[in-house]
Amino acid sequence: MNKKPIPFGIPNAFFLYDDYYSKDFPVYVNGLAYPSARQAVISFKTQSIETKRELGNLMLPSDLKDFEMSISTPRYWTKVYILSLYEELTIGKFLQNPEWKKCLIDSKDFYLDDIPFEGQGHYDIEELKNEKNYRGETLMRVRNKLIQQMRYETT
């Protein structure tokens, strides 16, 4: 793998962020639309439909972080569970947007590193805040799955 990292903060790469807000290509969970993969993941933290709907209307990552912190943490809310959801919902995000999917696949062998650009705040899912480069690692796994799917579909 090419060791040159591709930072998410480069121009035209903001869609790589899990909290990138897109009403045009929402992530759907049980019939509810979430404008970011991160919102979709956090929706699994609660059983309340009202809370889920309110979560889908948040726009800023900082507001999302505050809202996430107000939800009681259920027992099943573990790093393994969150990372599994995060990967599946990130796949869904890219499957719904062919342009983003192509950009991710075109990154090919590059190491995707979640290097913040100057002045950028990080608003990680609370239980993942100490996980090194979980966004980049997840994106690379998703990229590999999309490439495998593409190869399978062409055979």
Side-chain angles (χ1 to χ4, degrees):
M1 179 173 295
N2 192 323
K3 293 295 181 184
K4 179 183 174 197
I6 297 180
F8 297 2
I10 61 174
N12 302 319
F14 292 109
F15 68 89
L16 291 171
Y17 283 106
D18 59 353
D19 55 10
Y20 182 77
Y21 188 88
S22 174
K23 283 279 190 184
D24 295 328
F25 297 100
V27 178
Y28 288 93
V29 176
N30 298 324
L32 294 175
Y34 296 96
S36 75
R38 183 159 162 231
Q39 283 163 296
V41 169
I42 294 170
S43 76
F44 282 84
K45 193 173 181 179
T46 181
Q47 300 300 315
S48 164
I49 296 298
E50 273 310 306
T51 301
K52 290 174 185 284
R53 284 189 180 124
E54 191 175 344
L55 179 61
N57 291 324
L58 297 173
M59 292 180 65
L60 299 174
S62 57
D63 292 340
L64 181 57
K65 182 63 177 179
D66 291 342
F67 192 80
E68 174 199 354
M69 297 303 291
S70 74
I71 301 171
S72 297
T73 304
R75 283 190 187 145
Y76 59 82
W77 197 249
T78 64
K79 285 181 188 178
V80 171
Y81 179 75
I82 298 165
L83 288 169
S84 158
L85 283 173
Y86 183 68
E87 185 170 321
E88 288 305 309
L89 293 167
T90 300
I91 288 171
K93 168 185 167 177
F94 285 96
L95 288 175
Q96 291 188 66
N97 187 321
E99 183 180 334
W100 293 351
K101 178 181 172 183
K102 181 182 180 330
C103 288
L104 183 59
I105 289 172
D106 287 349
S107 69
K108 295 190 171 100
D109 295 329
F110 283 93
Y111 182 82
L112 299 177
D113 200 352
D114 186 7
I115 301 170
F117 56 93
E118 189 175 326
Q120 176 194 10
H122 259 262
Y123 300 100
D124 295 314
I125 293 172
E126 187 62 23
E127 290 76 10
L128 302 180
K129 68 183 178 187
N130 294 321
E131 296 295 311
K132 184 172 173 13
N133 196 32
Y134 75 89
R135 289 179 183 97
E137 295 291 331
T138 300
L139 284 168
M140 289 184 285
R141 284 192 305 276
V142 166
R143 175 182 62 198
N144 290 339
K145 287 181 179 184
L146 293 173
I147 289 169
Q148 287 174 351
Q149 178 189 31
M150 191 174 65
R151 288 180 184 151
Y152 178 78
E153 289 172 352
T154 59
T155 60

